[in-house]
Amino acid sequence: MTSALGRLHVLTDADGGPRALAVVAAAVAAGAPVVQVRAKGCSDRVLHDFARAVVELCRPAGTTVLVNDRVDVALAVGADGTHLGADDLPLAAARRVAGPGHLLGGTARDPQQARQLVAEGADYLGVGPAFATTTKTGLPDPIGVAGVGAVAAAVPVPVIAISGVTAARVGELIAAGATGVAVVGAVTGAADPGAATAELLRALEDSR
Ligand SMILES: Cc1ncc(COP(=O)(O)OP(=O)(O)O)c(N)n1
Ligand SMILES: Cc1ncsc1CCOP(=O)(O)O
Ligand SMILES: [Mg+2]
């Protein structure tokens, strides 16, 4: 079943450890509509078990679960979708594996790339890097609010802005045309991830 796509995507921090699950529980309890399992550098077994635990935390709350990079793991744990970047399985190939009822998102930084991903069947796009971030290294220069807006104007699917997103920056991103935002540090790095999630949700509500 394809779940509706929420406007706040909380991405787990890369290590997928026990604190990561506690952050997910706090974000879900605070009303996060989407959690993305993003764990780097771990074994398939660790990623699978972590993703399964996230699904078990999210299902009772009706929270949509996406898995970063790995459509096989997403399907194995019953997640709602998969997020695919330039180094991941091509989106069209993932669609052949996953079938029509699985949310597939792609990463885009410009209108041409965005239109290509939509043509391949993307249900939504993660667009950025909007602002500079220390969470992920090796990123190209930020595209800024204007760059997010240029992509949003070019495609009919939801645009989720990512990179350096804070509650204070939500309004300008939505005003530029983004549907929602994706965050790592704003929640996982917060002393109170639940309160941080609620602040982001308020900022999104205020930006309608
Ligand atoms: C919502 C959302 N947007 C963009 C990304 C980045 O994905 P990708 O380019 O595959 O980079 P990694 O996250 O795999 O480092 C995302 N994960 N989610
Ligand atoms: C996964 C990813 N892709 C582009 S930036 C990023 C990390 C975003 O992290 P933060 O929200 O802490 O800037
Ligand atoms: Mg990826």
Side-chain angles (χ1 to χ4, degrees), residues 12-13 15-26 50 184-185 187-193:
T12 64
D13 209 349
D15 66 4
R19 182 181 185 273
L21 277 181
V23 170
V24 169
F50 175 58
V184 180
V187 170
T188 64
D192 184 340

Side-chain angles (χ1 to χ4, degrees), residues 4 14 58 69 71 80 96 106 109 114 127 132 135 169 179 193 201 206:
C58 290
D69 298 342
V71 64
D80 300 288
R96 281 195 291 276
R109 62 178 278 112
V127 176
T135 300
R169 288 171 157 170
T179 309
L201 289 171
D206 293 348

Side-chain angles (χ1 to χ4, degrees), residues 111-205:
Q112 180 184 359
Q113 189 182 26
R115 283 190 286 266
Q116 173 60 32
L117 288 167
V118 170
E120 288 188 29
D123 296 302
Y124 75 89
L125 296 176
V127 176
F131 307 103
T133 183
T134 56
T135 300
K136 179 176 178 179
T137 58
L139 287 168
D141 291 341
I143 62 174
V145 174
V148 172
V151 172
V155 295
V157 302
V159 163
I160 305 297
I162 188 169
S163 184
V165 175
T166 60
R169 288 171 157 170
V170 165
E172 60 186 322
L173 290 165
I174 303 303
T179 309
V181 297
V183 300
V184 180
V187 170
T188 64
D192 184 340
T197 300
E199 185 186 12
L200 285 157
L201 289 171
R202 282 193 299 274
L204 283 163
E205 195 55 34

